[in-house]
Amino acid sequence: HGLAIQYLYELYALEKGRAAFQPAKPRYNKALQTLLRGLVDVDDSRYLTSVLAEAPVVDAESTTLVSELCEREDKRQVGLSCLRALIVHQPSWRTQCLSRLLHHTAAENESIRSPAVRLVANKLFPKPFLVASIQRFAVANLRRACQVEVDQEEGLEEEKKKEEKEG
């Protein structure tokens, strides 16, 4: 694991030095993707999450891979752990990954909602730099839920009045 991280740092430094004005780092990104895809099938997810946490830069393709893992029943816990690693250790992806994770906490599918809620409540909410974002999401969801309830009640009242007029 340490050797892989060291290799990523060396590749990143080499490519950054060569192309200071080019944001794309094709060799680094390819190496990162190869490493991550190889670690997806390893039984111990600690390697995958630690590579994501310790990599010098994480590209969009890597976050897409993590999102795909969250959607897979057999890799869901690994995907959620990877999201947590990105949120905590990769500030450039924090907002986007936290948004994805919070979206999972409101999913209709219980098999993704429950572990996502536990992860947010037990591991992320205690982190002071995440509290405000999590609270904003929770309040917005509560407001939406209350609005849906109010809208449904108003719809029922209108139907009742309509039925009374007809009857």
Side-chain angles (χ1 to χ4, degrees):
H1 161 260
L3 186 60
I5 294 297
Q6 183 179 356
Y7 178 70
L8 286 174
Y9 268 94
E10 286 183 26
L11 260 181
Y12 178 74
L14 272 172
E15 290 190 3
K16 186 173 183 181
R18 284 188 192 148
F21 300 106
Q22 293 179 341
K25 295 169 184 36
R27 284 185 19 198
Y28 170 82
N29 290 343
K30 183 175 179 169
L32 178 62
Q33 286 307 306
T34 302
L35 182 59
L36 293 177
R37 292 196 186 282
L39 290 172
V40 164
D41 295 322
V42 173
D43 288 335
D44 192 348
S45 68
R46 287 180 297 177
Y47 297 115
L48 182 61
T49 56
S50 63
V51 166
L52 286 167
E54 296 175 31
V57 173
V58 175
D59 62 343
E61 194 173 340
S62 299
T63 63
T64 300
L65 172 67
V66 170
S67 292
E68 290 168 2
L69 292 175
C70 290
E71 298 301 322
R72 288 176 47 186
E73 189 80 33
D74 63 328
K75 296 291 181 182
R76 183 160 293 143
Q77 197 58 48
V78 173
L80 292 172
S81 294
C82 289
L83 276 178
R84 181 178 69 76
L86 289 168
I87 291 164
V88 173
H89 300 288
Q90 295 287 345
S92 62
W93 289 102
R94 182 169 293 149
T95 302
Q96 182 180 356
C97 290
L98 182 60
S99 176
R100 287 179 187 176
L101 179 59
L102 292 173
H103 174 75
H104 290 313
T105 65
E108 286 189 32
N109 183 344
E110 176 73 20
S111 68
I112 192 161
R113 184 179 62 242
S114 290
V117 167
R118 282 192 303 275
L119 176 60
V120 170
N122 298 333
K123 301 287 184 181
L124 297 180
F125 191 74
K127 301 207 177 291
F129 60 94
L130 297 174
V131 170
S133 297
I134 294 168
Q135 286 176 333
R136 273 194 304 276
F137 179 84
V139 168
N141 263 7
L142 283 172
R143 286 185 177 145
R144 260 192 306 269
C146 290
Q147 187 59 45
V148 167
E149 205 170 284
V150 167
D151 290 345
Q152 288 175 347
E153 286 177 13
E154 288 174 356
L156 289 174
E157 287 176 18
E158 287 178 20
E159 279 185 40
K160 232 181 200 180
K161 288 178 185 178
K162 202 181 222 183
E163 287 176 3
E164 288 174 2
K165 285 181 182 178
E166 291 175 356

